[in-house]
Amino acid sequence: MGTPLLFQPIKIRDVRLKNRIVVAPMHQYAAVKGYPTDWHLMNVGRFAAGGAGLVFIESTKVERRGCGTAGDTGLWDDSYIEHFKRLADFIRSQNSIPAIQLGHSGRKARRFRPWEGGAPLTEEGAIKAGVDDWDDWELVAPSAIGSSETEPIPRALSFGEIQKTIENWSEAARRANEAGFDVLEIHAAHGYLLHQFLSPKANLRTDEYGGSESKRMRLPLEIAEAVRGNWPKEKPLFIRLSVEDDAGWGPDESVRFSKLVKEKGVDVVDCSSGGMRGSPVISAGPVGYGYQVPYAEKIRKETDLMSMAVGLIVHAEQAEEILQSGQADLIAIAREFLHNPNWALDAALKLGVEEAFAVTPPAYDYWLEKRFNSVKDVVPSTYFPGSDNGDFKI
Ligand SMILES: Cc1cc2nc3c(=O)[nH]c(=O)nc-3n(C[C@H](O)[C@H](O)[C@H](O)COP(=O)(O)O)c2cc1C
């Protein structure tokens, strides 16, 4: 049997991924004044050691106001570079490729952490969380419209502030490169600032940055161009979109936008959904395995871009089938890596990859291989084919 597609290397620009398994960006809510901590090193370290080809650092904010919670990471100052370099270096030391997502929460900034309820943060809550710049942590957006009637009203960015925002994104890209990341992703999904600009519901501006579809696309496109200008041409640039948001932005808009963003030097569209009116997206119907995969398929088939599928991709056979059927080029996994940081090893065993244990570092590989060869009737705790003992459907 040949090597499964999931474990075949892929080259994007000059960066070679050893396999097509990507750890999706996942906020840890554990930063201190934007600086990543030992927690972040441990977190990405185990995914990299677990065998993923590409490991993303969470949505890292390009400016202070863009932080979603008191625990968001940031890259708005050069003093952050060395702290992120530690993470990138460790990922690379595990023969994986370090990636980072850049973001700005816009009107969805300044909230309690999800497990604290996720509501808009109060000044009292902020002080408790160690925030000492409450007055500067302002909600900004394309227009002074809240996410819903009960949500806080942001302040509309002025034309001049928009120019500054573009600069913030491109400076953060420069810092990400200096920190040693090889892949960068622009977060334009999930109802955050760039998605707010794309959205006919959130962006009611009457200047060059709002109104018609092309004007709503203008800021994300200018940011993509500015980021590319500060990001080496040999390194891939991804963008995450809510391909369907159930609030006036859908797959056709996403295809049109993807074609334009390709001209700015984007290589991969990371195909997510929702966030403008709550998540996950409603039009996908009841959410099940691979519910966003059709979006990745559409982008891949209707543009010249590579696509990354994400969302309830849980099983090795499911991931392999998505690649084999040409629905996506890369498989991003979030929560299942929380469940099993050695997901790539598990997948290698289930898909029959030769020397599967070598997906992990020698300190694991040696012992697991030895156990496998010496104790024949012991199977790993994760091992059973497919899900539901075989009746799993994609
Ligand atoms: C703890 C956690 C944090 C997340 N943080 C981010 C993030 O920083 N940026 C982002 O674009 N998506 C984020 N997501 C969404 C995931 O990247 C992913 O799209 C989503 O969880 C669906 O994939 P899954 O079913 O494999 O978990 C987060 C998800 C989780 C569970």
Side-chain angles (χ1 to χ4, degrees):
M1 201 175 89
T3 304
L5 212 41
L6 189 62
F7 285 90
Q8 288 181 24
I10 183 168
K11 199 168 166 222
I12 313 173
R13 295 201 181 224
D14 285 355
V15 174
R16 180 184 179 274
L17 310 186
K18 67 181 174 190
N19 60 44
R20 295 158 195 228
I21 303 169
V22 179
V23 177
M26 278 185 277
H27 282 109
Q28 298 301 300
Y29 309 98
V32 177
K33 297 193 187 311
Y35 293 97
T37 64
D38 286 355
W39 174 271
H40 295 89
L41 184 65
M42 178 283 294
N43 181 59
V44 295
R46 57 188 197 151
F47 300 148
L54 185 67
V55 176
F56 265 99
I57 306 290
E58 67 196 75
S59 172
T60 294
K61 303 307 176 312
V62 303
E63 68 156 307
R64 170 65 187 104
R65 290 185 302 192
C67 287
T69 71
D72 280 28
T73 50
L75 257 181
W76 55 79
D77 186 90
D78 283 359
S79 64
Y80 289 86
I81 296 172
E82 61 181 297
H83 297 262
F84 282 94
K85 187 169 184 310
R86 193 166 163 241
L87 308 185
D89 286 350
F90 190 83
I91 294 170
R92 189 173 290 102
S93 76
Q94 297 307 306
N95 189 26
S96 182
I97 298 292
I100 189 164
Q101 185 187 54
L102 295 181
H104 188 308
S105 302
R107 69 183 186 182
K108 286 175 85 173
R110 216 179 59 196
R111 304 187 82 86
F112 283 98
R113 292 173 171 87
W115 55 84
E116 295 165 344
L121 190 60
T122 57
E123 192 167 355
E124 196 192 350
I127 290 166
K128 243 182 166 170
V131 172
D132 55 14
D133 59 352
W134 173 256
D135 289 338
D136 299 330
W137 195 0
E138 192 192 10
L139 302 193
V140 292
S143 304
I145 307 167
S147 301
S148 73
E149 278 173 16
T150 54
E151 289 290 327
I153 309 288
R155 185 175 62 76
L157 288 165
S158 69
F159 184 89
E161 286 175 310
I162 289 179
Q163 307 314 306
K164 175 71 182 135
T165 298
I166 298 169
E167 199 186 312
N168 290 338
W169 280 84
S170 83
E171 278 295 280
R174 170 184 63 77
R175 295 184 189 111
N177 181 48
E178 286 174 21
F181 290 99
D182 283 341
V183 171
L184 188 72
E185 178 167 280
I186 296 172
H187 196 347
H190 300 170
Y192 295 119
L193 186 70
L194 300 194
H195 187 183
Q196 289 160 27
F197 269 86
L198 292 171
S199 165
K201 293 274 188 301
N203 182 352
L204 301 186
R205 298 180 74 91
T206 51
D207 65 1
E208 299 84 328
Y209 289 100
S212 65
E213 181 177 290
S214 65
K215 287 181 174 174
R216 283 184 278 111
M217 288 178 179
R218 182 170 166 171
L219 177 62
L221 289 172
E222 288 185 358
I223 284 174
E225 188 169 17
V227 162
R228 190 27 109 186
N230 250 349
W231 184 246
K233 64 175 185 332
E234 57 283 2
K235 293 188 178 183
L237 181 60
F238 291 27
I239 193 162
R240 177 168 269 202
L241 296 181
S242 283
V243 175
E244 170 64 81
D245 73 1
D246 271 329
W249 177 274
D252 291 334
E253 286 78 5
S254 296
V255 166
R256 290 197 288 274
F257 178 71
S258 297
K259 287 179 176 166
L260 295 171
V261 95
K262 180 181 163 47
E263 289 169 17
K264 306 295 181 193
V266 167
D267 306 294
V268 177
V269 181
D270 175 2
C271 298
S272 192
S273 70
M276 191 54 70
R277 291 198 333 177
S279 181
V281 76
I282 301 145
S283 67
V287 166
Y289 282 127
Y291 64 101
Q292 295 171 151
V293 173
Y295 306 139
E297 180 175 16
K298 182 172 171 86
I299 297 291
R300 188 169 193 262
K301 296 204 164 137
E302 295 184 23
T303 72
D304 277 342
L305 286 150
M306 289 187 179
S307 76
M308 181 155 83
V310 68
L312 282 178
I313 301 172
V314 175
H315 299 287
E317 298 87 339
Q318 180 195 8
E320 178 66 9
E321 174 60 25
I322 292 165
L323 296 175
Q324 290 286 353
S325 59
Q327 291 173 293
D329 299 277
L330 294 168
I331 300 293
I333 295 172
R335 288 164 295 179
E336 198 55 21
F337 259 99
L338 300 182
H339 183 79
N340 176 14
N342 284 347
W343 189 87
L345 166 62
D346 189 49
L349 287 169
K350 288 173 178 167
L351 295 176
V353 170
E354 267 180 49
E355 299 187 17
F357 294 111
V359 163
T360 59
Y364 298 176
D365 173 25
Y366 175 81
W367 297 107
L368 293 174
E369 174 85 37
K370 205 174 163 79
R371 181 180 74 170
F372 180 76
N373 287 326
S374 58
V375 201
K376 287 286 180 208
D377 54 353
V378 170
V379 291
S381 59
T382 48
Y383 194 81
F384 58 96
S387 70
D388 306 330
N389 291 319
D391 72 343
F392 124 85
K393 296 185 185 56
I394 295 169

